[in-house]
Amino acid sequence: MITPQPQPFAFYGRVSTEDNQDPESSRSWQLTRATTLIQPHDGRIVAEYFDIGQSRSLPWQRRTQANLLLAALRNPGRGFSAVVVGEPHRAFYGNQFGLTVPLFAHYGVELWVPEIGGPIDPDNEAHELVMSVFGGMSKGERNRIKLRVRTAMAAQTLLEGRYLGGRPPYGYTLRDLGPHPNPAKAADGKHLKGLTPDEQTAPIVRQIFAEFLAGIGLFAIAEGLTASHVPCPSAHDRARNRHRSGIAWSKSAVRVILTNPRYTGRQVWNKQRTDEVLLDVDDVAMGHTGVMRWNPATNGWSPRTSPMSHSSTTRPSSRPKRYCNDADEEPADNTSGSAPATRTSSGA
């Protein structure tokens, strides 16, 4: 009697930073679901394709491992006759299923999904409807994640005055403000960080504001700092500015400092946004790519922020308006370059 050979399968899974999961544990549970589905049918996984750090919004052709899997479909000696996914939400986004499954059918490779209970029948309208629903749910889930994160960050900036991360402005450094207020994050050792004036560079910021208010121009301020052998911002922080020469102060560096609302004691967030635009307008199936764009200062920034008036950088006699972070805090003096310490979460 001839013993039937197990059917060879390839496994596909995916995890990204937006899923907020450990890649190894995510791979394990997706692989477990896939194995549980195929084992009763004498299935055996002989190849794995697992994308890490790739957004579900990327079409299969632009995901590293998914693209390798598609290339393997074209190879008659690929070593597997079917592909099993552990979780359709992570494999297919939007209309990706409708754009991908014809390739499986063309090369005679079955696609198995736990929610179907076995292989997908390309000619079965019910199967296509179910997978289309999962694609829509996946897209909706990603949109909800984005909305929750952005709303939470706006609330933290508006209500708590948090510094949400990023490079400290010139003249500031970060200090530890204690354990994270979220108990789970505090248990993981995460701490809040706050902006505090830097002993070395804060006096330079005060000098820049004082000279500008005295009527000295941007170029003259920059020339004076260079002549006094004061390291410019890129020279002061070479570790993060290796791409800059750091030779001298420029008037653009002085302008950036004078127009940065953080020196008025206010918190800033959401000056830029990421818009998703088509990668190729002639091939919509290639999906979208992120493009950074500036938000209008009038309605795009966090409600807690307000840009410094341009008049303050063109009229030396016009002192910039002072703001404060909280009602019980004194406003920061623009001529001192200091600001109330604001909080940031290392895991917010």
Side-chain angles (χ1 to χ4, degrees):
M1 181 177 179
I2 300 177
T3 303
Q5 294 295 317
Q7 182 178 4
F9 278 80
F11 161 74
Y12 177 74
R14 186 202 61 83
V15 67
S16 72
T17 53
E18 67 190 12
D19 298 314
N20 199 28
Q21 289 192 9
D22 171 61
E24 187 57 38
S25 62
S26 181
R27 171 191 166 275
S28 296
W29 72 256
Q30 292 182 57
L31 185 59
T32 298
R33 290 197 77 210
T35 304
T36 301
L37 172 64
I38 66 175
Q39 271 185 345
H41 304 276
D42 293 325
R44 180 170 60 91
I45 293 176
V46 297
E48 291 189 22
Y49 299 86
F50 191 77
D51 278 310
I52 298 177
Q54 309 243 270
S55 173
R56 72 186 77 188
S57 64
L58 290 178
W60 279 47
Q61 291 83 352
R62 292 173 57 198
R63 302 181 199 171
T64 305
Q65 293 296 311
N67 189 46
L68 291 176
L69 175 54
L70 294 179
L73 296 182
R74 299 175 173 86
N75 181 10
R78 55 184 169 266
F80 56 86
S81 59
V83 173
V84 57
V85 300
E87 222 275 349
H89 288 81
R90 296 173 185 269
F92 301 105
Y93 170 91
N95 64 344
Q96 289 175 1
F97 172 78
L99 298 172
T100 306
V101 74
L103 294 175
F104 286 83
H106 177 77
Y107 292 107
V109 177
E110 293 181 339
L111 178 62
W112 289 51
V113 178
E115 283 70 12
I116 297 296
I120 291 176
D121 181 356
D123 298 322
N124 189 313
E125 293 182 359
H127 286 188
E128 183 175 356
L129 177 61
V130 169
M131 294 305 298
S132 297
V133 169
F134 280 121
M137 292 173 61
S138 178
K139 185 175 183 179
E141 180 182 2
R142 179 173 181 266
N143 290 337
R144 285 194 300 274
I145 291 173
K146 290 167 59 178
L147 178 62
R148 285 196 296 264
V149 170
R150 291 174 179 174
T151 304
M153 293 178 73
Q156 289 170 351
T157 304
L158 174 64
L159 303 178
E160 303 177 30
R162 284 197 194 180
Y163 172 64
L164 297 180
R167 178 181 302 190
Y170 177 79
Y172 286 100
T173 187
L174 294 177
R175 67 184 179 94
D176 195 325
L177 296 180
H180 197 285
N182 184 314
K185 293 183 178 181
D188 289 338
K190 292 184 172 65
H191 282 226
L192 293 177
K193 302 292 183 181
L195 288 176
T196 190
D198 180 69
E199 293 181 358
Q200 294 182 345
T201 57
I204 307 303
V205 175
R206 299 187 185 103
Q207 177 184 336
I208 290 173
F209 273 90
E211 291 183 358
F212 180 74
L213 292 172
I216 302 177
L218 303 182
F219 183 77
I221 293 175
E223 288 286 292
L225 293 171
T226 301
S228 300
H229 304 289
V230 176
C232 63
S234 59
H236 174 73
D237 188 1
R238 293 305 298 162
R240 292 183 297 187
N241 292 281
R242 294 188 180 94
H243 60 294
R244 301 179 185 273
S245 65
I247 297 175
W249 280 82
S250 65
K251 67 177 183 180
S252 61
V254 175
R255 181 186 295 109
V256 166
I257 290 175
L258 290 171
T259 57
N260 188 341
R262 278 207 173 97
Y263 294 114
T264 71
R266 300 209 71 184
Q267 193 49 274
V268 180
W269 178 76
N270 199 32
K271 292 178 69 175
Q272 287 183 299
R273 69 184 188 276
T274 301
D275 288 342
E276 293 187 346
V277 299
L278 287 172
L279 183 66
D280 185 349
V281 295
D282 296 321
D283 187 1
V284 179
M286 290 301 293
H288 297 74
T289 186
V291 176
M292 296 294 294
R293 289 173 174 161
W294 291 99
N295 279 324
T298 54
N299 56 19
W301 293 12
S302 166
R304 196 181 185 85
T305 69
S306 178
M308 186 181 297
S309 171
H310 288 294
S311 62
S312 66
T313 62
T314 57
R315 302 175 187 171
S317 61
S318 175
R319 185 182 182 87
K321 185 177 180 180
R322 296 182 295 179
Y323 300 94
C324 57
N325 264 337
D326 296 299
D328 58 348
E329 290 180 334
E330 289 296 321
D333 190 337
N334 288 320
T335 60
S336 68
S338 61
T342 52
R343 298 183 296 173
T344 183
S345 164
S346 58

